[in-house]
Amino acid sequence: MKSIQNGFEISGFPLEPLEKFEDLLYFEGAVLTHMYDETGNDYFAYWVDEDESGYRWLFFRVEKEDIFFYLSGKKSLRELLTTSKNPFIIAADVSGKEYRNVTLLKPKDLDESYLPEAESYFALPVPEKYNALFPALRKDRSLVLNQ
């Protein structure tokens, strides 16, 4: 895996326990997973690298509104990852339930190869469970999912 530059290695994974809500992108395994913590904060886990010892994931906070805008194709994954709402991202090498090389870094310090494409808009059918998650936002007809 690539060496992470300009980050601060920390001991332990500060977001445990995270629970999976839904895998949003999948290719021979999860690529982007929506997760949440015990207080209801939402996170995306984005797979960016791998080697024989495990997989590198980027974990970053997302607001429900931004999840909605991503799923409706109004914001790209790159925008969510690099937005000022995310002053820090957590990179972690994950093998099973073990987190290693946990590093706190700023989005601007990410290796370019770890960034999604500029046009990384969600273009798949939206999982049904998200329609129940966004009732207030769905009142605006221009924001209804799957239309």
Side-chain angles (χ1 to χ4, degrees):
M1 283 189 255
K2 293 186 180 204
S3 174
I4 294 179
Q5 305 297 318
N6 301 319
F8 302 97
E9 195 161 332
I10 56 178
S11 62
F13 185 70
L15 302 177
E16 277 192 290
L18 284 178
E19 297 290 328
K20 181 171 100 171
F21 185 76
E22 185 74 24
D23 288 329
L24 294 171
L25 299 177
Y26 194 90
F27 180 75
E28 297 180 8
V31 174
L32 180 67
T33 300
H34 175 191
M35 305 182 92
Y36 61 93
D37 66 16
E38 55 196 13
T39 61
N41 294 314
D42 293 290
Y43 295 87
F44 276 178
Y46 179 52
W47 173 76
V48 294
D49 206 349
E50 69 177 293
D51 66 14
E52 63 282 345
S53 66
Y55 303 91
R56 177 160 297 152
W57 289 84
L58 302 179
F59 297 86
F60 58 99
R61 182 108 196 286
V62 288
E63 300 293 331
K64 283 192 176 27
E65 176 182 80
D66 288 326
I67 297 168
F68 182 89
F69 288 134
Y70 174 66
L71 293 175
S72 61
K74 300 199 184 322
K75 280 193 175 183
S76 70
L77 181 57
R78 187 179 186 121
E79 287 175 277
L80 296 183
L81 184 60
T82 60
T83 182
S84 61
K85 290 181 184 178
N86 283 312
F88 295 100
I89 293 169
I90 296 171
D93 298 341
V94 182
S95 179
K97 294 190 182 247
E98 179 185 353
Y99 295 85
R100 294 176 287 102
N101 303 321
V102 180
T103 306
L104 190 67
L105 65 155
K106 294 179 179 181
K108 70 177 183 67
D109 292 329
L110 280 171
D111 186 284
E112 183 68 29
S113 68
Y114 286 178
L115 291 174
E117 297 291 323
E119 299 296 314
S120 54
Y121 294 95
F122 190 76
L124 299 171
V126 176
E128 186 61 36
K129 66 192 328 182
Y130 283 94
N131 287 315
L133 192 62
F134 301 117
L137 291 174
R138 289 177 57 229
K139 289 179 184 175
D140 178 344
R141 289 207 138 317
S142 67
L143 298 178
V144 176
L145 296 172
N146 285 332
Q147 284 194 1

